[in-house]
Amino acid sequence: MDDIRMKNIERFENAFQFLSGFDLDWHDDYAEPEEIVAEYIEYADRRNRADTLGELRQILAEFQGPELNKAMLSICCFYSPERYRGVPMREWLDEVIGELERSLIDGSK
């Protein structure tokens, strides 16, 4: 594993745990990417969801354009919203962040 990938996995450990659900074979286990997000929200405790939320916000703050896609790949997210839905990575991550925020506001776990 290269240094950049290791550093990103270490820096964004919670996001890595979440995004690793979008591994190379994610589509073998899930019909839609939203299922992965929903499953994470259902099973991850409140603190993990909050930490993941913070790390996803940090990723968006640090990486722009093609660098965002590279950063996501470096932490094992092989889902491409551009390819599957024609939606930019930033927009998709904003949607995921919204789901995590709602799960925290709703008082789940």
Side-chain angles (χ1 to χ4, degrees), residues 19-54:
L19 294 168
S20 64
F22 295 94
D23 62 11
L24 287 171
D25 300 323
W26 71 268
H27 43 74
D28 291 342
D29 299 319
Y30 302 93
E32 299 292 332
E34 292 81 9
E35 293 174 26
I36 299 171
V37 177
E39 185 174 276
Y40 178 79
I41 288 171
E42 181 177 348
Y43 293 106
D45 67 27
R46 182 175 183 78
R47 180 178 175 115
N48 283 352
R49 285 181 282 139
D51 290 346
T52 298
L53 175 62

Side-chain angles (χ1 to χ4, degrees), residues 37-96:
V37 177
E39 185 174 276
Y40 178 79
I41 288 171
E42 181 177 348
Y43 293 106
D45 67 27
R46 182 175 183 78
R47 180 178 175 115
N48 283 352
R49 285 181 282 139
D51 290 346
T52 298
L53 175 62
E55 290 177 11
L56 291 176
R57 286 179 177 152
Q58 185 64 35
I59 290 167
L60 284 180
E62 285 187 34
F63 301 100
Q64 307 297 316
E67 294 304 312
L68 175 58
N69 293 344
K70 289 178 188 176
M72 294 296 285
L73 279 173
S74 76
I75 52 177
C76 299
C77 180
F78 293 94
Y79 173 63
S80 172
E82 287 115 349
R83 179 175 168 206
Y84 288 97
R85 298 226 171 116
V87 175
M89 180 66 76
R90 178 168 295 282
E91 185 177 321
W92 177 72
L93 279 175
D94 281 336
E95 291 173 16
V96 170

